[in-house]
Amino acid sequence: MTAELPLNDIAPGTWKPNRGRSETIQLIIKIICGAFATISILTTIGIIGTLIFEAFSFFGNLPSELSKDSEQVSYMQGVIHFLTAGRWTPLFASKQFGIFVLISATLMITFISILVALPLGLLAAICLSEYASPKIRKVLKPVLEILAGVPTVVYGYFALLTVTPFLKTFFPVEGFNSLSAGIVLGIMITPMVASLSEDAIYSVPQSLRDGAYALGGTKRETVWSVVLPAALSGIVSSLILATSRAIGETMIVTLAAGANPTLGFNPFVPVMTMTAYIVQVTKGDAPHGTIAYQTLYAVGITLFLITLALNIFSFWFVRRFRQKYD
Amino acid sequence: MQDIRNQTMTDTALKAEKISVYYGSTLAVKDVFLDIPRNQIVAFIGPSGCGKSTVLRCFNRMNDLIPSARVDGNILFDGENIKRFDPVELRRRVGMVFQKPNPFPKSIYENIAFGARINGYQGDMDELVERSLKGAALWDEVKDKLKESGLGLSGGQQQRLCIARAIAIEPEVILMDEPCSALDPISTLKVEELMHDLKMQYTIVIVTHNMQQASRVSDKTAFFNAQATEAGGKMGYLVEYDETQVIFSNPREEYTRDYVSGRFG
Ligand SMILES: Nc1ncnc2c1ncn2[C@@H]1O[C@H](COP(=O)(O)OP(=O)(O)O)[C@@H](O)[C@H]1O
Ligand SMILES: [Mg+2]
Protein backbone atom coordinates (compact mmCIF):
# COMPACT_ATOMS: atom_id res chain seq x y z
CA MET A 1 0.00 0.00 0.00
CA THR A 2 1.38 3.41 -0.96
CA ALA A 3 1.06 6.25 1.45
CA GLU A 4 -0.99 9.26 0.34
CA LEU A 5 1.38 12.08 -0.62
CA PRO A 6 0.84 15.06 1.68
CA LEU A 7 0.11 17.44 -1.19
CA ASN A 8 -2.70 19.22 0.62
CA ASP A 9 -0.76 19.57 3.78
CA ILE A 10 -0.25 23.33 3.50
CA ALA A 11 -1.67 25.22 6.42
CA PRO A 12 -5.05 26.69 5.45
CA GLY A 13 -5.02 30.44 4.98
CA THR A 14 -1.45 30.77 3.66
CA TRP A 15 -2.54 31.65 0.13
CA LYS A 16 -5.59 33.80 -0.40
CA PRO A 17 -5.50 35.47 -3.84
CA ASN A 18 -7.94 38.35 -4.09
CA ARG A 19 -9.32 37.33 -7.49
CA GLY A 20 -12.49 39.33 -7.16
CA ARG A 21 -10.69 42.64 -6.67
CA SER A 22 -8.13 42.14 -9.44
CA GLU A 23 -10.95 41.43 -11.89
CA THR A 24 -12.65 44.71 -10.98
CA ILE A 25 -9.40 46.64 -11.48
CA GLN A 26 -8.90 44.88 -14.81
CA LEU A 27 -12.36 45.97 -15.90
CA ILE A 28 -11.81 49.61 -14.86
CA ILE A 29 -8.51 49.74 -16.74
CA LYS A 30 -10.21 48.31 -19.81
CA ILE A 31 -12.93 50.96 -19.68
CA ILE A 32 -10.46 53.84 -19.26
CA CYS A 33 -8.24 52.67 -22.11
CA GLY A 34 -11.27 52.09 -24.31
CA ALA A 35 -12.55 55.58 -23.57
CA PHE A 36 -9.28 57.24 -24.55
CA ALA A 37 -8.99 55.16 -27.72
CA THR A 38 -12.56 56.10 -28.63
CA ILE A 39 -11.90 59.81 -28.02
CA SER A 40 -8.89 59.89 -30.32
CA ILE A 41 -10.67 57.94 -33.05
CA LEU A 42 -13.75 60.17 -32.79
CA THR A 43 -11.63 63.32 -32.98
CA THR A 44 -9.94 62.11 -36.15
CA ILE A 45 -13.26 61.12 -37.69
CA GLY A 46 -14.68 64.50 -36.67
CA ILE A 47 -11.86 66.46 -38.31
CA ILE A 48 -11.95 64.48 -41.52
CA GLY A 49 -15.75 64.58 -41.52
CA THR A 50 -15.78 68.39 -41.19
CA LEU A 51 -13.19 68.70 -43.96
CA ILE A 52 -15.21 66.53 -46.30
CA PHE A 53 -18.54 68.15 -45.42
CA GLU A 54 -17.32 71.73 -45.88
CA ALA A 55 -15.39 70.83 -49.01
CA PHE A 56 -18.60 69.37 -50.45
CA SER A 57 -20.54 72.52 -49.71
CA PHE A 58 -17.73 74.49 -51.37
CA PHE A 59 -18.13 72.47 -54.55
CA GLY A 60 -21.91 72.78 -54.16
CA ASN A 61 -21.71 76.59 -54.10
CA LEU A 62 -18.96 76.88 -56.68
CA PRO A 63 -21.24 76.80 -59.80
CA SER A 64 -23.40 79.71 -58.61
CA GLU A 65 -20.23 81.74 -57.91
CA LEU A 66 -18.89 81.06 -61.37
CA SER A 67 -22.18 81.44 -63.26
CA LYS A 68 -22.75 84.64 -65.14
CA ASP A 69 -26.19 85.82 -66.28
CA SER A 70 -25.72 84.38 -69.72
CA GLU A 71 -24.49 80.88 -68.94
CA GLN A 72 -25.06 78.34 -66.19
CA VAL A 73 -22.10 76.33 -64.82
CA SER A 74 -22.58 72.68 -63.88
CA TYR A 75 -21.02 70.95 -60.86
CA MET A 76 -18.61 69.11 -63.15
CA GLN A 77 -17.48 72.34 -64.78
CA GLY A 78 -16.97 73.74 -61.27
CA VAL A 79 -14.60 70.91 -60.39
CA ILE A 80 -12.80 71.30 -63.71
CA HIS A 81 -12.42 75.03 -63.03
CA PHE A 82 -10.99 74.23 -59.59
CA LEU A 83 -8.39 71.91 -61.09
CA THR A 84 -7.43 73.88 -64.20
CA ALA A 85 -8.01 77.62 -63.74
CA GLY A 86 -4.86 79.74 -63.84
CA ARG A 87 -5.77 82.20 -61.11
CA TRP A 88 -6.62 82.00 -57.41
CA THR A 89 -8.65 85.04 -56.32
CA PRO A 90 -11.43 83.96 -53.91
CA LEU A 91 -11.18 87.21 -51.96
CA PHE A 92 -11.58 89.50 -54.96
CA ALA A 93 -14.69 90.70 -56.72
CA SER A 94 -14.08 88.58 -59.79
CA LYS A 95 -13.50 85.24 -58.10
CA GLN A 96 -11.35 82.49 -59.58
CA PHE A 97 -10.50 79.22 -57.88
CA GLY A 98 -7.55 77.60 -59.65
CA ILE A 99 -6.07 75.46 -56.84
CA PHE A 100 -3.06 74.63 -58.99
CA VAL A 101 -1.79 78.16 -58.40
CA LEU A 102 -1.33 77.29 -54.73
CA ILE A 103 -0.19 73.72 -55.45
CA SER A 104 2.53 74.95 -57.82
CA ALA A 105 3.97 77.18 -55.11
CA THR A 106 3.89 74.36 -52.56
CA LEU A 107 5.49 71.92 -55.01
CA MET A 108 8.23 74.32 -56.06
CA ILE A 109 9.23 75.19 -52.50
CA THR A 110 9.08 71.54 -51.44
CA PHE A 111 11.20 70.56 -54.43
CA ILE A 112 13.84 73.18 -53.59
CA SER A 113 13.86 72.03 -49.97
CA ILE A 114 14.41 68.40 -51.00
CA LEU A 115 17.24 69.48 -53.31
CA VAL A 116 18.88 70.94 -50.22
CA ALA A 117 17.95 68.28 -47.65
CA LEU A 118 18.68 65.15 -49.71
CA PRO A 119 22.42 65.66 -50.23
CA LEU A 120 23.01 67.37 -46.89
CA GLY A 121 20.96 64.90 -44.86
CA LEU A 122 22.23 61.81 -46.62
CA LEU A 123 25.87 62.86 -46.42
CA ALA A 124 25.47 63.71 -42.74
CA ALA A 125 23.88 60.28 -42.18
CA ILE A 126 26.67 58.48 -44.03
CA CYS A 127 29.39 60.37 -42.19
CA LEU A 128 27.76 59.74 -38.83
CA SER A 129 27.15 56.04 -39.28
CA GLU A 130 30.15 54.97 -41.35
CA TYR A 131 32.96 57.41 -40.73
CA ALA A 132 32.47 59.05 -37.33
CA SER A 133 33.92 57.37 -34.26
CA PRO A 134 31.34 56.00 -31.81
CA LYS A 135 32.15 58.88 -29.45
CA ILE A 136 31.43 61.59 -32.01
CA ARG A 137 28.28 59.77 -33.10
CA LYS A 138 27.08 59.68 -29.51
CA VAL A 139 27.40 63.47 -29.27
CA LEU A 140 26.23 64.47 -32.75
CA LYS A 141 23.12 62.30 -32.96
CA PRO A 142 21.29 64.07 -30.10
CA VAL A 143 22.47 67.45 -31.44
CA LEU A 144 20.75 66.60 -34.73
CA GLU A 145 17.57 65.75 -32.90
CA ILE A 146 17.70 69.02 -30.94
CA LEU A 147 18.18 70.91 -34.18
CA ALA A 148 14.93 69.37 -35.38
CA GLY A 149 13.21 71.10 -32.46
CA VAL A 150 14.10 74.72 -33.35
CA PRO A 151 10.80 76.65 -33.70
CA THR A 152 9.90 77.18 -37.33
CA VAL A 153 9.21 80.87 -36.78
CA VAL A 154 12.93 81.27 -36.12
CA TYR A 155 13.70 79.63 -39.45
CA GLY A 156 11.13 81.91 -41.08
CA TYR A 157 12.85 85.05 -39.85
CA PHE A 158 16.21 83.58 -40.78
CA ALA A 159 14.94 83.12 -44.34
CA LEU A 160 13.40 86.56 -44.58
CA LEU A 161 16.11 88.61 -42.90
CA THR A 162 19.32 86.72 -43.64
CA VAL A 163 18.99 84.36 -46.57
CA THR A 164 16.95 86.60 -48.89
CA PRO A 165 19.35 89.59 -48.59
CA PHE A 166 22.24 87.19 -49.18
CA LEU A 167 20.55 85.71 -52.27
CA LYS A 168 19.97 89.23 -53.57
CA THR A 169 23.69 89.59 -54.17
CA PHE A 170 23.58 86.73 -56.70
CA PHE A 171 20.06 86.49 -58.10
CA PRO A 172 17.32 88.96 -59.05
CA VAL A 173 15.13 87.82 -56.15
CA GLU A 174 12.35 89.91 -54.69
CA GLY A 175 11.80 90.51 -50.97
CA PHE A 176 9.51 87.49 -50.78
CA ASN A 177 10.46 84.49 -52.91
CA SER A 178 10.31 80.70 -52.96
CA LEU A 179 14.05 80.18 -53.34
CA SER A 180 14.85 81.55 -49.90
CA ALA A 181 11.88 79.79 -48.30
CA GLY A 182 12.81 76.52 -50.04
CA ILE A 183 16.45 76.64 -48.99
CA VAL A 184 15.61 77.36 -45.35
CA LEU A 185 12.85 74.76 -45.35
CA GLY A 186 15.46 72.33 -46.67
CA ILE A 187 17.77 73.25 -43.80
CA MET A 188 14.88 72.70 -41.42
CA ILE A 189 14.13 69.16 -42.63
CA THR A 190 17.79 68.15 -43.04
CA PRO A 191 18.15 66.92 -39.43
CA MET A 192 15.06 64.78 -39.90
CA VAL A 193 16.41 63.22 -43.12
CA ALA A 194 19.82 62.77 -41.52
CA SER A 195 18.55 61.23 -38.32
CA LEU A 196 16.11 58.79 -39.95
CA SER A 197 18.53 57.83 -42.72
CA GLU A 198 21.23 57.31 -40.16
CA ASP A 199 18.97 54.90 -38.31
CA ALA A 200 18.41 53.03 -41.57
CA ILE A 201 22.11 52.88 -42.45
CA TYR A 202 23.16 51.97 -38.94
CA SER A 203 20.74 49.05 -38.84
CA VAL A 204 22.27 47.38 -41.90
CA PRO A 205 23.77 44.25 -40.36
CA GLN A 206 27.54 44.18 -39.82
CA SER A 207 27.61 40.79 -41.56
CA LEU A 208 26.85 42.50 -44.90
CA ARG A 209 29.73 44.90 -44.46
CA ASP A 210 32.02 41.99 -43.51
CA GLY A 211 30.88 40.16 -46.63
CA ALA A 212 31.87 43.08 -48.84
CA TYR A 213 35.22 43.61 -47.11
CA ALA A 214 36.02 39.91 -47.34
CA LEU A 215 35.66 40.12 -51.12
CA GLY A 216 38.34 42.78 -51.28
CA GLY A 217 36.01 45.76 -51.05
CA THR A 218 37.36 49.13 -49.97
CA LYS A 219 35.44 51.21 -47.49
CA ARG A 220 34.00 53.35 -50.26
CA GLU A 221 32.85 50.34 -52.30
CA THR A 222 31.36 48.72 -49.23
CA VAL A 223 29.43 51.82 -48.19
CA TRP A 224 28.18 52.89 -51.61
CA SER A 225 27.54 49.54 -53.26
CA VAL A 226 26.38 47.40 -50.36
CA VAL A 227 25.37 49.41 -47.30
CA LEU A 228 23.44 52.23 -49.00
CA PRO A 229 21.42 49.96 -51.33
CA ALA A 230 20.61 47.79 -48.33
CA ALA A 231 19.35 50.85 -46.45
CA LEU A 232 17.49 52.24 -49.45
CA SER A 233 13.96 51.61 -48.24
CA GLY A 234 14.66 53.36 -44.96
CA ILE A 235 16.34 56.28 -46.72
CA VAL A 236 13.46 56.73 -49.15
CA SER A 237 10.88 56.57 -46.41
CA SER A 238 12.79 59.18 -44.40
CA LEU A 239 12.78 61.37 -47.48
CA ILE A 240 9.04 60.92 -48.00
CA LEU A 241 8.35 61.73 -44.38
CA ALA A 242 10.45 64.86 -44.72
CA THR A 243 8.56 65.77 -47.90
CA SER A 244 5.26 65.45 -46.06
CA ARG A 245 6.65 67.66 -43.37
CA ALA A 246 7.82 70.24 -45.93
CA ILE A 247 4.46 70.29 -47.73
CA GLY A 248 2.62 70.93 -44.48
CA GLU A 249 5.12 73.50 -43.17
CA THR A 250 3.48 76.87 -42.69
CA MET A 251 5.51 79.43 -40.79
CA ILE A 252 8.59 79.59 -43.01
CA VAL A 253 6.61 79.91 -46.24
CA THR A 254 4.19 82.45 -44.80
CA LEU A 255 7.03 84.64 -43.59
CA ALA A 256 9.48 84.25 -46.46
CA ALA A 257 7.60 83.32 -49.63
CA GLY A 258 4.89 85.93 -49.49
CA ALA A 259 1.13 85.96 -50.05
CA ASN A 260 0.79 86.49 -53.74
CA PRO A 261 -0.89 83.62 -55.61
CA THR A 262 1.21 83.20 -58.74
CA LEU A 263 1.06 80.32 -61.15
CA GLY A 264 4.37 79.03 -62.46
CA PHE A 265 7.73 77.90 -61.26
CA ASN A 266 9.77 81.08 -61.03
CA PRO A 267 11.67 80.80 -57.73
CA PHE A 268 12.54 84.52 -57.56
CA VAL A 269 9.06 86.02 -57.19
CA PRO A 270 6.55 86.05 -54.32
CA VAL A 271 4.10 83.14 -54.31
CA MET A 272 1.46 81.73 -52.00
CA THR A 273 1.44 78.15 -50.83
CA MET A 274 -1.61 76.21 -49.70
CA THR A 275 -0.63 76.58 -46.07
CA ALA A 276 0.06 80.32 -46.42
CA TYR A 277 -3.40 80.77 -47.91
CA ILE A 278 -5.00 78.90 -45.02
CA VAL A 279 -3.21 81.25 -42.60
CA GLN A 280 -4.40 84.29 -44.47
CA VAL A 281 -8.06 83.25 -44.46
CA THR A 282 -8.02 81.93 -40.92
CA LYS A 283 -6.66 85.24 -39.69
CA GLY A 284 -10.10 86.60 -40.52
CA ASP A 285 -10.29 88.04 -43.98
CA ALA A 286 -13.36 86.02 -44.89
CA PRO A 287 -16.69 85.98 -43.04
CA HIS A 288 -18.13 82.64 -41.96
CA GLY A 289 -20.40 80.97 -44.49
CA THR A 290 -19.10 82.75 -47.58
CA ILE A 291 -17.48 80.90 -50.45
CA ALA A 292 -14.15 82.49 -49.52
CA TYR A 293 -14.44 80.89 -46.11
CA GLN A 294 -15.31 77.53 -47.62
CA THR A 295 -12.20 77.60 -49.84
CA LEU A 296 -10.33 76.99 -46.59
CA TYR A 297 -11.74 73.49 -46.53
CA ALA A 298 -11.21 72.89 -50.22
CA VAL A 299 -7.54 73.78 -49.81
CA GLY A 300 -7.35 71.85 -46.57
CA ILE A 301 -8.66 68.66 -48.10
CA THR A 302 -6.30 69.02 -51.07
CA LEU A 303 -3.38 69.31 -48.68
CA PHE A 304 -4.67 66.34 -46.71
CA LEU A 305 -5.04 64.19 -49.84
CA ILE A 306 -1.52 65.02 -51.04
CA THR A 307 0.14 64.09 -47.77
CA LEU A 308 -2.10 61.03 -47.42
CA ALA A 309 -1.04 59.85 -50.87
CA LEU A 310 2.62 60.36 -49.95
CA ASN A 311 2.24 58.42 -46.74
CA ILE A 312 0.46 55.57 -48.49
CA PHE A 313 3.21 55.49 -51.10
CA SER A 314 5.85 55.43 -48.38
CA PHE A 315 4.04 52.63 -46.56
CA TRP A 316 3.81 50.61 -49.77
CA PHE A 317 7.42 51.32 -50.73
CA VAL A 318 8.81 50.25 -47.39
CA ARG A 319 6.80 47.03 -47.37
CA ARG A 320 7.78 46.29 -50.94
CA PHE A 321 11.49 46.99 -50.65
CA ARG A 322 12.36 46.36 -47.04
CA GLN A 323 14.97 43.65 -46.66
CA LYS A 324 14.35 41.16 -43.95
CA TYR A 325 17.49 40.12 -42.16
CA ASP A 326 16.90 37.77 -39.29
CA MET B 1 67.68 28.71 -56.07
CA GLN B 2 64.48 29.77 -57.77
CA ASP B 3 63.41 26.15 -57.71
CA ILE B 4 63.75 25.85 -53.99
CA ARG B 5 61.74 29.00 -53.43
CA ASN B 6 58.96 27.71 -55.65
CA GLN B 7 59.08 24.45 -53.81
CA THR B 8 58.42 26.11 -50.46
CA MET B 9 55.75 28.29 -52.01
CA THR B 10 53.79 25.32 -53.21
CA ASP B 11 54.08 23.55 -49.89
CA THR B 12 52.78 26.12 -47.46
CA ALA B 13 50.04 28.59 -48.27
CA LEU B 14 49.82 30.23 -44.88
CA LYS B 15 52.17 30.14 -41.96
CA ALA B 16 51.25 31.49 -38.51
CA GLU B 17 54.26 32.35 -36.36
CA LYS B 18 53.46 32.95 -32.71
CA ILE B 19 50.10 34.60 -33.23
CA SER B 20 48.46 36.18 -30.17
CA VAL B 21 45.25 38.16 -30.37
CA TYR B 22 44.01 40.69 -27.84
CA TYR B 23 40.55 42.24 -27.60
CA GLY B 24 41.19 45.41 -25.67
CA SER B 25 43.50 44.25 -22.91
CA THR B 26 42.19 40.68 -22.79
CA LEU B 27 44.36 38.04 -24.36
CA ALA B 28 41.94 35.88 -26.37
CA VAL B 29 44.39 33.50 -28.10
CA LYS B 30 48.00 32.91 -27.26
CA ASP B 31 51.07 31.84 -29.26
CA VAL B 32 49.63 29.92 -32.18
CA PHE B 33 52.07 28.30 -34.58
CA LEU B 34 50.45 26.74 -37.62
CA ASP B 35 51.34 25.79 -41.21
CA ILE B 36 48.49 25.53 -43.69
CA PRO B 37 49.61 23.31 -46.57
CA ARG B 38 48.60 24.26 -50.08
CA ASN B 39 45.65 22.50 -51.72
CA GLN B 40 44.66 20.77 -48.54
CA ILE B 41 41.79 21.19 -46.15
CA VAL B 42 42.65 22.12 -42.60
CA ALA B 43 39.95 21.90 -39.93
CA PHE B 44 39.90 23.93 -36.70
CA ILE B 45 38.01 22.18 -33.91
CA GLY B 46 37.58 22.94 -30.23
CA PRO B 47 35.00 24.11 -27.69
CA SER B 48 33.33 27.41 -28.42
CA GLY B 49 35.07 30.55 -27.24
CA CYS B 50 38.55 29.08 -27.62
CA GLY B 51 39.48 31.45 -30.43
CA LYS B 52 38.99 29.46 -33.65
CA SER B 53 37.18 32.30 -35.42
CA THR B 54 39.64 34.80 -34.02
CA VAL B 55 42.61 32.92 -35.48
CA LEU B 56 40.81 32.41 -38.78
CA ARG B 57 40.14 36.14 -39.08
CA CYS B 58 43.88 36.82 -38.71
CA PHE B 59 44.59 35.16 -42.06
CA ASN B 60 42.68 37.74 -44.11
CA ARG B 61 43.11 40.59 -41.61
CA MET B 62 39.40 40.81 -40.87
CA ASN B 63 40.44 41.54 -37.28
CA ASP B 64 41.62 44.93 -38.59
CA LEU B 65 37.95 45.85 -38.82
CA ILE B 66 37.34 45.22 -35.12
CA PRO B 67 38.56 48.39 -33.39
CA SER B 68 39.49 46.70 -30.12
CA ALA B 69 41.39 43.79 -31.70
CA ARG B 70 45.19 43.61 -31.84
CA VAL B 71 47.22 40.85 -33.44
CA ASP B 72 50.80 40.08 -32.38
CA GLY B 73 53.12 37.76 -34.25
CA ASN B 74 53.51 37.18 -37.96
CA ILE B 75 51.57 35.43 -40.67
CA LEU B 76 53.27 34.57 -43.93
CA PHE B 77 51.21 34.20 -47.06
CA ASP B 78 53.19 32.68 -49.92
CA GLY B 79 56.23 33.40 -47.79
CA GLU B 80 55.47 37.09 -47.43
CA ASN B 81 54.35 38.82 -44.25
CA ILE B 82 50.68 39.81 -44.57
CA LYS B 83 51.39 43.04 -42.73
CA ARG B 84 53.10 44.18 -45.89
CA PHE B 85 49.98 43.51 -47.97
CA ASP B 86 47.25 46.01 -48.66
CA PRO B 87 44.40 44.36 -46.71
CA VAL B 88 42.10 44.86 -49.71
CA GLU B 89 44.50 42.94 -51.95
CA LEU B 90 45.06 40.28 -49.30
CA ARG B 91 41.33 39.68 -48.94
CA ARG B 92 40.95 39.21 -52.65
CA ARG B 93 43.49 36.41 -52.51
CA VAL B 94 42.30 34.96 -49.19
CA GLY B 95 38.52 34.65 -49.40
CA MET B 96 36.10 34.03 -46.57
CA VAL B 97 32.75 32.34 -46.03
CA PHE B 98 30.92 33.22 -42.84
CA GLN B 99 29.00 31.25 -40.26
CA LYS B 100 25.67 32.80 -41.14
CA PRO B 101 24.98 33.05 -44.87
CA ASN B 102 25.22 36.77 -45.72
CA PRO B 103 24.23 37.28 -49.35
CA PHE B 104 23.88 40.92 -50.37
CA PRO B 105 20.33 42.20 -50.83
CA LYS B 106 20.89 42.13 -54.58
CA SER B 107 20.08 39.69 -57.36
CA ILE B 108 21.84 36.33 -57.46
CA TYR B 109 23.75 37.55 -60.51
CA GLU B 110 24.83 40.78 -58.82
CA ASN B 111 25.91 38.94 -55.67
CA ILE B 112 28.60 37.30 -57.76
CA ALA B 113 29.32 40.16 -60.15
CA PHE B 114 29.91 42.59 -57.26
CA GLY B 115 33.21 41.08 -56.12
CA ALA B 116 34.43 40.65 -59.68
CA ARG B 117 33.57 44.23 -60.57
CA ILE B 118 35.26 45.87 -57.58
CA ASN B 119 38.37 43.82 -58.30
CA GLY B 120 38.49 45.04 -61.87
CA TYR B 121 37.48 41.84 -63.67
CA GLN B 122 37.77 42.44 -67.41
CA GLY B 123 36.39 39.17 -68.79
CA ASP B 124 32.89 38.03 -69.69
CA MET B 125 30.71 38.56 -66.62
CA ASP B 126 27.93 36.15 -67.66
CA GLU B 127 30.48 33.44 -68.13
CA LEU B 128 32.09 34.14 -64.74
CA VAL B 129 28.73 34.06 -62.96
CA GLU B 130 27.88 30.72 -64.56
CA ARG B 131 31.28 29.24 -63.83
CA SER B 132 31.20 30.35 -60.18
CA LEU B 133 27.68 29.07 -59.60
CA LYS B 134 28.62 25.75 -61.19
CA GLY B 135 31.71 25.66 -59.01
CA ALA B 136 29.50 26.03 -55.96
CA ALA B 137 27.04 23.36 -57.21
CA LEU B 138 24.24 25.92 -57.34
CA TRP B 139 23.88 26.60 -61.06
CA ASP B 140 21.16 24.06 -61.80
CA GLU B 141 18.98 25.37 -58.99
CA VAL B 142 19.20 29.06 -59.86
CA LYS B 143 19.99 29.32 -63.57
CA ASP B 144 16.42 30.39 -64.36
CA LYS B 145 16.23 33.06 -61.69
CA LEU B 146 19.52 34.90 -61.76
CA LYS B 147 17.67 38.23 -61.58
CA GLU B 148 15.87 37.32 -58.35
CA SER B 149 17.11 38.40 -54.95
CA GLY B 150 19.73 36.26 -53.26
CA LEU B 151 17.75 36.62 -50.06
CA GLY B 152 14.93 34.55 -51.56
CA LEU B 153 17.04 31.39 -51.55
CA SER B 154 16.97 28.75 -48.84
CA GLY B 155 19.69 28.83 -46.17
CA GLY B 156 21.72 26.09 -47.86
CA GLN B 157 21.44 27.79 -51.23
CA GLN B 158 22.41 31.13 -49.70
CA GLN B 159 25.53 29.61 -48.22
CA ARG B 160 26.48 28.08 -51.57
CA LEU B 161 25.84 31.49 -53.14
CA CYS B 162 28.32 32.92 -50.66
CA ILE B 163 30.81 30.22 -51.64
CA ALA B 164 30.20 31.02 -55.32
CA ARG B 165 30.73 34.69 -54.56
CA ALA B 166 34.00 33.84 -52.81
CA ILE B 167 35.40 31.65 -55.61
CA ALA B 168 34.31 34.12 -58.31
CA ILE B 169 37.27 36.36 -57.52
CA GLU B 170 39.64 33.38 -57.79
CA PRO B 171 41.30 33.47 -54.38
CA GLU B 172 44.11 31.12 -53.44
CA VAL B 173 42.77 30.34 -49.99
CA ILE B 174 39.18 30.09 -48.73
CA LEU B 175 38.53 30.52 -45.01
CA MET B 176 35.25 29.05 -43.82
CA ASP B 177 33.90 29.81 -40.36
CA GLU B 178 31.40 27.09 -39.41
CA PRO B 179 29.84 27.29 -42.87
CA CYS B 180 27.33 24.54 -42.14
CA SER B 181 26.19 25.44 -38.67
CA ALA B 182 23.05 27.15 -39.96
CA LEU B 183 22.28 24.45 -42.52
CA ASP B 184 20.19 21.29 -42.56
CA PRO B 185 21.94 17.91 -43.01
CA ILE B 186 21.30 17.67 -46.75
CA SER B 187 22.68 21.14 -47.45
CA THR B 188 25.59 20.31 -45.17
CA LEU B 189 26.35 17.24 -47.24
CA LYS B 190 26.28 19.30 -50.42
CA VAL B 191 28.70 21.85 -49.00
CA GLU B 192 31.01 19.05 -47.83
CA GLU B 193 31.03 17.44 -51.28
CA LEU B 194 31.74 20.85 -52.68
CA MET B 195 34.79 21.23 -50.47
CA HIS B 196 36.25 18.04 -51.85
CA ASP B 197 35.95 19.44 -55.37
CA LEU B 198 37.31 22.83 -54.39
CA LYS B 199 40.42 21.26 -52.89
CA MET B 200 41.88 20.72 -56.33
CA GLN B 201 42.15 24.45 -56.84
CA TYR B 202 42.08 26.07 -53.44
CA THR B 203 43.54 25.81 -50.00
CA ILE B 204 40.72 25.62 -47.46
CA VAL B 205 40.66 26.33 -43.75
CA ILE B 206 37.38 25.39 -42.10
CA VAL B 207 36.23 25.99 -38.55
CA THR B 208 33.72 23.42 -37.44
CA HIS B 209 32.12 22.33 -34.21
CA ASN B 210 31.12 19.08 -35.84
CA MET B 211 33.82 16.47 -35.35
CA GLN B 212 32.38 14.07 -37.90
CA GLN B 213 32.62 16.87 -40.41
CA ALA B 214 36.22 17.54 -39.51
CA SER B 215 37.13 13.89 -39.89
CA ARG B 216 35.17 13.56 -43.15
CA VAL B 217 36.50 16.58 -45.01
CA SER B 218 39.89 17.57 -43.69
CA ASP B 219 43.46 16.46 -44.26
CA LYS B 220 44.84 18.10 -41.16
CA THR B 221 43.13 19.11 -37.95
CA ALA B 222 44.03 21.71 -35.36
CA PHE B 223 42.53 21.26 -31.92
CA PHE B 224 42.12 24.46 -29.89
CA ASN B 225 41.20 24.66 -26.25
CA ALA B 226 40.78 27.41 -23.67
CA GLN B 227 42.30 27.62 -20.25
CA ALA B 228 41.23 29.79 -17.36
CA THR B 229 43.42 32.82 -16.69
CA GLU B 230 44.23 34.40 -13.34
CA ALA B 231 42.11 37.38 -14.31
CA GLY B 232 39.09 35.07 -14.42
CA GLY B 233 38.76 35.03 -18.20
CA LYS B 234 39.52 32.40 -20.77
CA MET B 235 42.53 32.21 -23.05
CA GLY B 236 42.57 30.07 -26.17
CA TYR B 237 45.61 28.13 -27.37
CA LEU B 238 46.46 25.51 -29.92
CA VAL B 239 46.65 22.12 -28.22
CA GLU B 240 47.59 19.87 -31.07
CA TYR B 241 47.91 20.03 -34.83
CA ASP B 242 48.41 16.94 -36.95
CA GLU B 243 47.06 14.78 -39.73
CA THR B 244 43.32 14.44 -39.20
CA GLN B 245 43.61 10.69 -38.97
CA VAL B 246 46.17 11.00 -36.16
CA ILE B 247 44.09 13.52 -34.25
CA PHE B 248 41.06 11.28 -34.33
CA SER B 249 42.71 7.91 -33.76
CA ASN B 250 45.91 8.46 -31.89
CA PRO B 251 46.40 11.99 -30.58
CA ARG B 252 49.37 12.91 -28.48
CA GLU B 253 47.43 14.94 -25.92
CA GLU B 254 44.99 13.70 -23.33
CA TYR B 255 42.74 16.75 -23.92
CA THR B 256 42.48 16.00 -27.62
CA ARG B 257 41.59 12.40 -26.94
CA ASP B 258 38.87 13.43 -24.53
CA TYR B 259 37.48 16.04 -26.92
CA VAL B 260 37.37 13.91 -30.06
CA SER B 261 35.79 11.07 -28.16
CA GLY B 262 33.08 13.46 -27.03
CA ARG B 263 33.98 13.53 -23.35
CA PHE B 264 33.88 17.35 -23.14
CA GLY B 265 33.18 20.46 -25.18
N1 LIG C 1 34.73 41.25 -31.49
C1 LIG C 1 35.10 40.79 -30.28
N2 LIG C 1 35.29 41.65 -29.26
C2 LIG C 1 35.68 41.21 -28.03
N3 LIG C 1 35.88 39.93 -27.74
C3 LIG C 1 35.71 39.01 -28.71
C4 LIG C 1 35.32 39.40 -30.04
N4 LIG C 1 35.23 38.27 -30.79
C5 LIG C 1 35.55 37.25 -29.98
N5 LIG C 1 35.85 37.68 -28.73
C6 LIG C 1 36.27 36.84 -27.60
O1 LIG C 1 37.38 36.06 -27.99
C7 LIG C 1 37.24 34.73 -27.54
C8 LIG C 1 37.33 33.79 -28.70
O2 LIG C 1 36.19 33.96 -29.51
P1 LIG C 1 36.01 33.23 -30.90
O3 LIG C 1 37.23 33.42 -31.70
O4 LIG C 1 34.74 33.72 -31.49
O5 LIG C 1 35.87 31.72 -30.46
P2 LIG C 1 35.29 30.48 -31.26
O6 LIG C 1 35.17 30.86 -32.69
O7 LIG C 1 36.30 29.40 -31.02
O8 LIG C 1 34.00 30.11 -30.64
C9 LIG C 1 35.93 34.66 -26.79
O9 LIG C 1 36.20 34.74 -25.41
C10 LIG C 1 35.17 35.86 -27.26
O10 LIG C 1 34.37 36.36 -26.22
MG1 LIG D 1 33.42 31.02 -33.89
Side-chain angles (χ1 to χ4, degrees), chain A residues 207-208 210-218 221-222 225-226 229-230 323-326, chain B residues 62 65 88 91-92 96 98 100 102-106 114-115 118-119 151 165-166 169:
Chain A
S207 64
L208 279 189
D210 288 345
Y213 284 122
L215 288 171
T218 60
E221 287 156 350
T222 302
S225 308
V226 173
Q323 311 295 345
K324 288 203 185 66
Y325 314 99
D326 36 34
Chain B
M62 284 300 273
L65 302 173
V88 170
R91 291 184 198 126
R92 193 196 68 70
M96 188 169 223
F98 296 83
K100 231 187 76 190
N102 58 348
F104 302 127
K106 300 171 184 286
F114 171 75
I118 59 175
N119 286 293
L151 292 173
R165 178 174 88 176
I169 55 174

Side-chain angles (χ1 to χ4, degrees), chain B residues 48-54 57 99 177-178 207:
Chain B
S48 71
C50 63
K52 306 179 296 292
S53 303
T54 300
R57 282 198 300 265
Q99 180 165 3
D177 192 351
E178 305 198 23
V207 175

